[in-house]
Amino acid sequence: MNHIQGSLLYEGKAKRVFACENPNRVLIEFKNDATAFNAKKRSEIEGKGRLNCKISSALFELLESNGIPTHFLELHSETLMFAEKINVIPLEVVIRNIATGSLCRETPINEGTILTPPLLEFYYKDDKLGDPILTERRLKLLDLISPSQKEEVENITKRSNTILKEYFDSLDLLLVDFKLEFGLNSLGKLVIADEISPDNCRFWDKTNSDPKGRILDKDRFRQDLGGVIDAYEEILKRIEKDLSHAS
Ligand code: TMP
């Protein structure tokens, strides 16, 4: 069992955030809890916290090494990471390379359509409101970020997508879409926050043509497909294999 010293600052659906001695740092614990549809569906998946923590750390390091600012500092242990303490901006920024999920439920766009350029969308982060999609004007009206911060969020999201898409392509995985969250650190700098894992990304296995079999992300839980942990393990396995070649 990990020994966590600081007080609990915040508990979300998939993570707990603890204070550290250094006021600009926090310790983030990745939980095994899984939720979908704004927490209407809940379960506990043994091993998910460890996998998401390790996958997120590797992906934050990849982005940082490409000059993308994130809140990640260092891995503490299997389910815990040190991160910068930030003020979270209540927005979910989704970028889509291939049409699926809510885009296909809510529009006539066919499942699997390649989106060129990728589609970037803002959602308001609030489970009670069902994380509603925002129009440009509603985003402006909410005044959660300045126009220049919005431009920076869009640039960081697009650059991250280019880096991650190319990286996963080299692992024989299609990066279908993903969601990022942002925050401001103690210096007021905009950084990617939260996590980057199969909980908030969609991955399709390029070596499997079966539309359900190729899914290697939380859609296995959302759609009751089974094999959730095996899918997450597969993502980590491919990342670790790549890291072992790189070192
Ligand atoms: P969507 O197609 O359901 O809108 O999801 C788009 C992407 O965002 C997908 O990679 C899953 C991720 N996502 C979250 O991380 N949290 C959420 O609450 C939702 C709805 C989607």
Side-chain angles (χ1 to χ4, degrees), residues 92 94 96 101-102 131 177-179 199-202 222:
E92 302 200 346
V94 170
R96 302 173 192 270
S102 66
D131 294 346
D177 56 31
F178 62 98
K179 180 261 299 182
D199 266 15
N200 64 320
C201 301
R202 285 195 175 102
R222 295 187 188 101

Side-chain angles (χ1 to χ4, degrees), residues 13 35-38 92-96 100-106 121 123 127 130-131 175-181 194 197-203 217-219 222:
K13 288 175 289 185
T35 66
F37 313 115
N38 301 314
E92 302 200 346
V93 186
V94 170
I95 188 157
R96 302 173 192 270
T100 190
S102 66
L103 180 63
C104 296
R105 279 199 309 274
E106 296 164 4
E121 301 171 307
Y123 294 77
D127 273 352
D131 294 346
L175 177 61
V176 175
D177 56 31
F178 62 98
K179 180 261 299 182
L180 292 180
E181 294 186 23
D194 196 47
S197 75
D199 266 15
N200 64 320
C201 301
R202 285 195 175 102
F203 302 110
D217 56 67
K218 194 166 147 188
D219 270 353
R222 295 187 188 101

